[in-house]
Structure formats: structure tokens, C-alpha cells
Amino acid sequence: MPIPIKTGAEIEGMRLAGRLASEVLDMLTPHVRAGVTTLELDRLAHDLMVHQQKGIPATLGYQPPGYPPYPASLCTSLNDVVCHGIPDERPLKNGDIVNIDVTVIKDGWHGDNSRMFVVGEGTIAARRLCQLTFDAMWKGIVKVRPGARLGDIGHAIQTFAENAGFTVVREFCGHGVGARFHEEPQVLHYGRPNTLEELVPGMIFTIEPMINAGRREIKEDRRGNRPYDGWTIVTRDRSLSAQWEHTVLVTDSGYEVLTVSAGSPPAPAFASAGYGSATAPALAG
Ligand code: MF3
Ligand code: CO
Ligand code: CO
């Protein structure tokens, strides 16, 4: 299957889905505090997506081959959970770090994004991992332009993370996104410059690096005496893991981040184009 190239009207649909997905994270932000359970956050997000946004939580019932249906409207990946953590009844504690990943379907289009949250103050090490991972995502985003290759994105992320002493998870990657949740291309977060597919205006894909404080290896979460839930992935050495995610459009001149809203964290200084052409925070106010 070729990489889908989105047309003008399709891009408009993706801009709306992307903004809504970002607004779910904006809404959740003040609720991510010690004492709240991830299941409570899931209900808040579900209600916003379904009743206010008139959208569909893409993860709810999502079932790729070999997986059980995903049971929630968010992924909440805590501390050593790398990805696909399932919301549950345990309250968040001061010092926890949590990735919240939300995908909204609006008018058939998918907007997919995630952010890290530090509960309370957090340790210096935890805050540094979250910040470094945010910057690593942006090191990949700023590579996006026509004529660049997917390997340029992966290489930029990998060198940045490894130079800081962190490691890059290999088993999960970014992905094309549009009328389907996961489509071509695969967007690896490691690699070599000037390799893999050449970027063309109208391609839309996620960049969503998972960065570990310790070793890069992962495993299924089989702790405790419960059966494996089929989804939760943890670091093999139980070190902390962080992730950020945006949905990004290749434009004629560079990139446009589609998962953007009033509450999006400012782009780092090295991203001189900010969120890219014609989008909110860089131009607002
Ligand atoms: N949102 C995740 C991604 O970035 C996918 C989650 S699939 C789920 O690709 F089923 F675990 F929710
Ligand atoms: Co994604
Ligand atoms: Co996601």
C-alpha cells in the first residue's frame, strides 16, 4: 500500500481532528494531580470527546491483529510503563510521571497526540527525562520537509537522546494517520540520515519517540498475579520511560503540527517555525 497523500479538504479534516485531540489534553491538564485515578481521567476525556466534540475515542475497542480490544478512551502510561497503559483505579502519587495519549476521530479523520505530566514536583531525573523527550520529538519534527527522508527524522531523535545518555525504544514507532488510525509509513525513532522514504507534501504521520532512562529493552507487563492485560508494555529494567507525540503534515515548505491548540506547550527555541504554517500558538496573542 502506498503512503496516502492528503488533499486540501482532507487536510482541513485532519486539522480539526488534531486540534480536538490536543484540546482533550488541555482539558485534562489541571486534573492530573496527586489523588486522581487514571480511570477518572479516562472518563473526563471520554465525555469531552463524545458529548462536546461529537467525536469518537479511537482507542476504545481498537483491536489490531493479535490484540484484545483496547478497553479505554486514553492510554495512561505511568513511570516504567513505556506505552499502552490502561487506565485503572490507582490514584496518581506525587513524583509519578505519566504519559497521556489520546486519539480522536472527527468526521472520519484521526488526530493522535500525547504529552507527559509530572505529578507534583517530581525528581530532577524524572523532569529531565520528560523535557529531553519533548525536545527529542521536536528534533524529529523540524526535519520534516519535502525531499527529506524518514531516516533523517529517526537519526535526529536517536542522536539527540543517546548523546544525553538515554535510550530509544525500537519496537514501537510513529505511523501514518488519517482515515485510518495506523497506516503507512512507519516512522522509526532511530536510523540513518538520507535513508528510507522521501517526504512529499500532503503526507501526514505521527512522531512519538519513547525514551528510556535506562536500557532500551522492553517487555510485556506481567507483574503481580493477574493475567497479562494484552497491552501494557514496561521497560525490561524497570527504569523510567517518557513519550511525547504529535501528528505532523508535510507542507510545501516544511511542516505543520496538526495536534495544536491553545494549551499546547510552546515549541522549543530551536524550532524556529514553531508549530508551522498558519497554526495557533506561534501567531496567537
Ligand atoms: N495512540 C497510540 C499511538 O500513538 C496507539 C494506542 S492503541 C491502543 O499510536 F489501543 F493502545 F490504544
Ligand atoms: Co500514534
Ligand atoms: Co497516540
Side-chain angles (χ1 to χ4, degrees):
M1 291 266 280
I3 299 174
I5 305 299
K6 276 76 171 180
T7 65
E10 295 172 337
I11 291 166
E12 271 309 315
M14 287 296 290
R15 281 196 183 101
L16 175 56
R19 177 169 62 79
L20 295 180
S22 187
E23 286 176 350
V24 175
L25 293 171
D26 293 354
M27 179 278 291
L28 289 173
T29 298
H31 296 278
V32 185
R33 302 175 57 96
V36 76
T37 72
T38 48
L39 206 50
E40 288 165 347
L41 298 174
D42 186 71
R43 290 205 190 93
L44 289 169
H46 181 93
D47 284 352
L48 180 66
M49 286 187 265
V50 172
H51 297 118
Q52 313 290 314
Q53 298 181 338
K54 312 286 185 200
I56 299 168
T59 59
L60 189 58
Y62 184 60
Q63 187 173 22
Y67 285 81
Y70 189 79
S73 299
L74 295 176
C75 295
T76 51
S77 300
L78 195 65
N79 297 329
D80 60 341
V81 177
V82 172
C83 61
H84 303 163
I86 298 173
D88 63 24
E89 302 278 6
R90 290 174 297 177
L92 295 177
K93 307 183 304 296
N94 277 324
D96 283 341
I97 64 170
V98 61
N99 173 275
I100 302 182
D101 192 336
V102 54
T103 307
V104 183
I105 309 172
K106 180 68 178 179
D107 303 331
W109 299 104
H110 291 69
D112 185 9
N113 68 168
S114 77
R115 300 181 196 161
M116 291 304 296
F117 298 85
V118 180
V119 181
E121 198 177 344
T123 65
I124 289 172
R127 281 186 275 136
R128 180 165 170 266
L129 175 65
C130 295
Q131 178 65 47
L132 181 289
T133 305
F134 177 77
D135 288 345
M137 171 186 68
W138 277 99
K139 288 286 177 183
I141 290 172
V142 300
K143 291 292 178 190
V144 174
R145 58 174 177 77
R149 292 176 175 272
L150 285 172
D152 300 336
I153 297 171
H155 179 75
I157 293 169
Q158 181 183 12
T159 53
F160 181 74
E162 292 181 352
N163 284 342
F166 296 123
T167 62
V168 178
V169 171
R170 306 290 178 101
E171 291 83 354
F172 297 93
C173 56
H175 50 92
V177 59
R180 286 172 299 163
F181 194 171
H182 295 101
E183 60 188 30
E184 289 194 52
Q186 291 192 34
V187 182
L188 304 180
H189 303 114
Y190 61 92
R192 300 179 57 77
N194 207 27
T195 63
L196 304 175
E197 196 79 33
E198 184 172 317
L199 306 187
V200 171
M203 287 181 181
I204 297 178
F205 49 80
T206 71
I207 298 178
E208 50 179 303
M210 281 146 271
I211 307 290
N212 297 348
R215 294 177 57 85
R216 68 174 173 80
E217 288 80 12
I218 62 165
K219 60 182 178 182
E220 296 176 347
D221 180 13
R222 295 180 178 281
R223 288 171 294 174
N225 47 17
R226 296 165 303 171
Y228 181 50
D229 64 24
W231 285 98
T232 307
I233 299 293
V234 296
T235 54
R236 191 165 276 280
D237 64 6
R238 307 287 301 275
S239 63
L240 290 179
S241 187
Q243 179 178 29
W244 289 77
E245 177 178 28
H246 273 308
T247 297
V248 181
L249 165 72
V250 184
T251 67
D252 290 333
S253 59
Y255 66 86
E256 178 182 332
V257 175
L258 301 180
T259 37
V260 62
S261 60
S264 295
F270 64 76
S272 50
Y275 279 78
S277 36
T279 52
L283 302 177

